[in-house]
Amino acid sequence: MPMDYLHRIEHAEFPLTVTDVKEIGYVAILKAAGLVEAAVPLPYRDPDGTTVQGPAIVAEITQKGREELARLRGSPPSS
């Protein structure tokens, strides 16, 4: 699923703000793999005990990420 998400944001305007909790998880995985540059905040508990997840900010898809997208498409990477 993270690679599907990477495909979805391939032509997005960056920086991209991501607020969906599931998508924030994808961003964290893509960041750990070196496929995107992003700020992903850790979730925290507010005073009433509710878990809060702030938005992730994707700055860009890295060259490695673009190469991986091209590899999955079977085409040379775009610059």
Side-chain angles (χ1 to χ4, degrees), residues 1-8 26 30 35 65 68-69 72:
M1 291 305 210
M3 290 308 295
D4 292 337
Y5 185 72
L6 187 63
H7 280 284
R8 283 187 27 223
Y26 296 156
L30 293 169
L35 302 179
E68 184 63 15
L69 285 167
L72 292 171

Side-chain angles (χ1 to χ4, degrees), residues 6-73:
L6 187 63
H7 280 284
R8 283 187 27 223
I9 67 168
E10 182 175 10
H11 300 291
E13 188 172 319
F14 297 101
L16 176 66
T17 301
V18 181
T19 57
D20 180 84
V21 174
K22 182 187 269 185
E23 291 179 354
I24 292 170
Y26 296 156
V27 171
I29 292 167
L30 293 169
K31 178 182 178 182
L35 302 179
V36 298
E37 288 291 330
V40 183
L42 294 174
Y44 63 92
R45 291 196 184 270
D46 68 10
D48 71 357
T50 304
T51 300
V52 178
Q53 173 68 62
I57 307 296
V58 180
E60 67 177 346
I61 298 175
T62 64
Q63 184 61 35
K64 180 179 177 183
R66 299 235 176 245
E67 289 169 359
E68 184 63 15
L69 285 167
R71 185 187 71 75
L72 292 171
R73 277 194 305 272

